Amino acid sequence: MDQDRRVLQGGDVLVRGERIEAVGQGLAAPGDAFVVDAQGGIVLPGMIDTHRHLWQTLMRGYGADWTLTQYFVWYYLEWGKAFRPEEVFAGNLLGALEAIDAGVTTTVDWSHGLQSVAHAEAALAALDEAPGRYVLAYGNIQQGPWEWATSPEVQQFLRRLLGRPGGKVVPQLAFDVPGDPAFPERAAFEVARELGIRVTTHAGVWGATNDEGIRLMHEHGFMTPGTTYVHAATLQPDSYHRIAATGGTVSVATESEESAGQGYPTTYRLRQYGIPGSLSNDTSVWWSGDLFSAMRATLGADRAMEHLEHHERGETLTHCSLRAEHVVAMATIGGARALGLDAETGSLEPGKAADVVLVRNPRSPAMLPILNPYGHLAFQAQRADVELVLAKGRVVKWAGELVDVDWARLRRLVEEGVAHLERTLGAEAWHEGMHPEIPTTRVLENPYTYTYDEQDEAGER
């Protein structure tokens, strides 16, 4: 798969060191080459997740029945502050390995649990330990961005990260703009501009961020081609026009938008306004942590909206606009473009980093036959079918298993972190957080249901 989304049947990929040297058919392998027979599989670029709260992976599945309100209350107001650096490290390491396992070789760690630089150091240490490429998007939900971003300690951390060679982990700033007319977020934008780093922001989230935030960013000159707008699901046309005109990109997290209520997944809007899109998983405290699920959910939501709009006009949709190849592109080259990394990764082309994934599972009936590779990736494949992953030429998953993972240590770190949080909350709060109250359902009166008296007028049955 190259930038033109071509499918090469019977193709070869030659990797030398950290780079792809050649892509073609019948390539001659050097005598000392290690040859991987990928027949019966699909070779694709490493996938790219442009928005995942890795630190929350420690609470995997805990919030399965939450709304966005419950998420905000639990993390922002009540228990997010209970996470120590140790829990951030464990969550980040677990989430990073989960991403690699599913063929995601580049992840934006939307790390808004960094209450201190010690928390940031823990997040970075985990990303350094895990294989793959990461963007550490620094955030802190316990303070306003005008407070933490202007902190000398935070800026020193960011400068140090910027100065490291290799580019394995690079910084961004992660914060939201709720629309306060005073625009206090200006200070954080100015820090990002001074440091020369990008901003990623939750925009167009029902009840949280809105068109006023977009207007303020635009009128103060802080909407740039490097800005990622996460969700962007409840905006008015003027805001979409501003994003498109300034070269911004939108990170779509369909499972999140459908379930939590940020707004309807916005791929159909992105087409209307010509805005590039990428995919994300958001957080494993609720949803799956693989882009196969994201691709599948995105196609379903987009097509449901397109059918519904036609039905409301009394019409029948005969051709879908969003195709399987489009969501696979969003999960690869689309993510690379959103991060300014499309010259480095996101497609299989000579000179690019050897971020390569083999999807093949000869023991799965769902992987036979493979007729439409894009359709297969979007609707049939899953993380268990990821057989091989290369991250910059390094084998990090082989024969369906992650390489060089100390599972006993990882399990201990996770169990200790969960135990700390459970102790801090207490048994009652822990249970209530996981099991929010279910609203009462009112069943409509049924006109086809009737009643009768068991006795007639004569008193007989």
Side-chain angles (χ1 to χ4, degrees), residues 133-170:
R133 180 188 292 103
Y134 299 92
V135 174
L136 178 56
Y138 196 113
N140 179 2
I141 56 178
Q142 304 302 328
Q143 286 185 332
W146 54 92
E147 298 173 295
W148 58 260
T150 57
S151 160
E153 294 78 15
V154 169
Q155 292 187 34
Q156 183 180 17
F157 173 86
L158 294 170
R159 291 181 190 278
R160 181 160 43 85
L161 184 52
L162 278 170
R164 299 198 322 171
K168 183 181 190 295
V169 184
V170 298

Side-chain angles (χ1 to χ4, degrees), residues 372-438:
N372 176 350
Y374 285 113
H376 216 101
L377 291 171
F379 282 121
Q380 309 299 325
Q382 54 186 318
R383 70 165 56 244
D385 301 320
V386 175
E387 182 177 313
L388 168 70
V389 178
L390 300 181
K392 293 186 73 171
R394 174 188 169 193
V395 176
V396 295
K397 186 175 184 180
W398 172 255
E401 295 187 8
L402 291 173
V403 175
D404 296 332
V405 175
D406 186 341
W407 290 105
R409 170 177 171 258
L410 181 62
R411 183 175 296 277
R412 175 178 56 79
L413 290 171
V414 170
E415 289 176 347
E416 288 175 354
V418 171
H420 162 74
L421 293 170
E422 191 169 2
R423 284 194 306 270
T424 302
L425 271 68
E428 183 177 356
W430 179 267
H431 183 270
E432 288 179 354
M434 198 185 307
H435 303 285
E437 182 180 351
I438 302 174

Side-chain angles (χ1 to χ4, degrees), residues 1 12-23 34 36 43-48 100 103-106 131-133 166 341-358 388-397:
M1 187 179 109
D12 300 322
V13 179
L14 176 61
V15 171
R16 189 183 298 274
E18 296 184 354
R19 299 284 159 182
I20 297 172
E21 185 168 295
V23 179
F34 181 78
V36 177
V43 179
L44 71 153
M47 289 179 275
I48 298 170
I100 290 290
V104 176
T105 55
T106 301
R133 180 188 292 103
L341 293 173
D342 48 311
E344 173 73 7
T345 189
S347 59
L348 299 179
E349 298 184 84
K352 288 198 171 186
D355 298 335
V356 184
V357 173
L358 169 61
L388 168 70
V389 178
L390 300 181
K392 293 186 73 171
R394 174 188 169 193
V395 176
V396 295
K397 186 175 184 180

Side-chain angles (χ1 to χ4, degrees), residues 204 206 210-211 214 232-243 269 273:
W206 181 262
N210 52 41
D211 297 282
I214 297 293
T234 58
L235 299 174
Q236 294 300 310
D238 189 66
S239 292
Y240 291 117
H241 282 308
R242 292 177 195 259
I243 293 172
R269 293 291 188 204
Y273 295 93

Side-chain angles (χ1 to χ4, degrees), residues 257-343:
E257 289 132 18
E258 287 180 320
S259 179
Q262 286 96 339
Y264 200 87
T266 193
T267 45
Y268 74 106
R269 293 291 188 204
L270 302 187
R271 283 197 302 278
Q272 294 174 336
Y273 295 93
I275 300 172
S278 60
L279 293 184
S280 73
N281 286 117
D282 203 336
T283 170
S284 292
V285 76
W286 256 307
W287 306 290
S288 56
D290 65 89
L291 288 182
F292 297 108
S293 297
M295 290 188 282
R296 192 166 301 143
T298 300
L299 281 171
D302 190 282
R303 292 175 177 182
M305 176 59 74
E306 200 168 21
H307 282 292
L308 180 61
E309 288 181 337
H310 277 69
H311 295 173
E312 288 178 341
R313 296 193 299 265
E315 301 171 355
T316 298
L317 179 69
T318 58
H319 293 77
C320 294
S321 298
L322 191 67
R323 303 301 176 94
E325 67 179 85
H326 296 149
V327 293
V328 176
M330 290 175 71
T332 52
I333 191 65
R337 288 173 178 149
L339 302 178
L341 293 173
D342 48 311

Side-chain angles (χ1 to χ4, degrees), residues 62-68 70-71 74-75 259-260 285-286 433-434 436:
Y62 180 90
D65 296 317
W66 281 353
T67 62
L68 192 60
Q70 288 152 342
Y71 170 85
W74 202 91
Y75 275 115
S259 179
V285 76
W286 256 307
M434 198 185 307

